[in-house]
Amino acid sequence: MYRFKLTGSLLGLLMLPLLVACNDGSEDPKNSDPSAADADMLTVYKSPTCGCCKKWIGHLEAEGFEASAEHPASLDDIKDRYRIANNLRSCHTAVSSQGYVFEGHIPGRYIHQFLANPPADATGLAVPAMPVGSPGMEVGVKFMPYQVLLMKKDGSTEVFASVESMAEQYQPFDQQEVRP
């Protein structure tokens, strides 16, 4: 019995220098603050075969988000869980680490803007359907203007942003843009 305790203690002491050497202070500063690391993390629920969803995830990553894809048996169950009204639904649903929901082909700049200052009564943003020219839905130079809607806890919506041109959706997010 004593031999086991002594062996375990010796093993622990022998491993200590290896643990210290592995943590040499060169950690990614983003990982040292859990809230900062999670701030730009999105889980995207989508069909495993949807090409436009994959392109939208690529857009998110280009905009500085970390995104992981999940392929649930039923996307409707996910949309029901997050209380996304039928008229707001699209082909994928993203959820932030804070629990905010982003439905459809929303430009990353508006997700950044929302997360920088989320309204108290908001559940997230939605771009209903699949507007041609939105991120992930690019078809050459074709573009259909659309609105990004703010989803509220009471089930109502309001316009968060109107996107009138393809270039407008790719402008960098500026902290000055934050809504009151």
Side-chain angles (χ1 to χ4, degrees):
M1 181 175 218
Y2 290 110
R3 183 180 302 190
F4 178 75
K5 286 184 179 178
L6 183 59
T7 304
S9 298
L10 284 174
L11 184 58
L13 287 173
L14 291 172
M15 294 297 290
L16 187 59
L18 291 174
L19 293 172
V20 171
C22 289
N23 187 12
D24 63 359
S26 63
E27 289 182 48
D28 181 353
K30 190 175 181 184
N31 292 336
S32 62
D33 176 5
S35 61
D38 291 344
D40 292 338
M41 179 64 177
L42 297 173
T43 301
V44 182
Y45 298 95
K46 65 179 215 54
S47 163
T49 59
C50 185
C52 67
C53 294
K54 289 177 188 174
K55 289 169 77 175
W56 185 71
I57 290 172
H59 164 75
L60 289 179
E61 291 170 342
E63 293 288 318
F65 289 96
E66 290 185 39
S68 65
E70 297 285 330
H71 305 106
S74 171
L75 284 171
D76 285 335
D77 289 348
I78 297 295
K79 294 169 191 309
D80 290 344
R81 179 189 320 159
Y82 290 103
R83 298 177 43 199
I84 300 167
N86 286 337
N87 65 325
L88 300 178
R89 293 183 180 191
S90 185
C91 59
H92 57 261
T93 303
V95 180
S96 73
S97 55
Q98 302 92 344
Y100 292 110
V101 179
F102 302 98
E103 178 71 9
H105 292 266
I106 304 164
R109 70 178 290 213
Y110 298 113
I111 298 173
H112 280 298
Q113 183 177 342
F114 176 92
L115 290 173
N117 189 23
D121 61 343
T123 60
L125 300 174
V127 170
M130 299 164 68
V132 173
S134 61
M137 290 298 299
E138 296 91 349
V139 181
V141 296
K142 293 181 181 177
F143 180 81
M144 179 172 73
Y146 61 94
Q147 294 178 327
V148 178
L149 301 176
L150 176 71
M151 297 185 293
K152 297 182 178 186
K153 292 177 183 175
D154 67 3
S156 66
T157 61
E158 68 180 54
V159 175
F160 185 80
S162 291
V163 183
E164 302 299 326
S165 72
M166 191 177 286
E168 195 175 319
Q169 61 194 356
Y170 297 108
Q171 293 174 348
F173 168 66
D174 179 0
Q175 289 290 336
Q176 301 299 324
E177 294 179 40
V178 175
R179 292 166 37 104

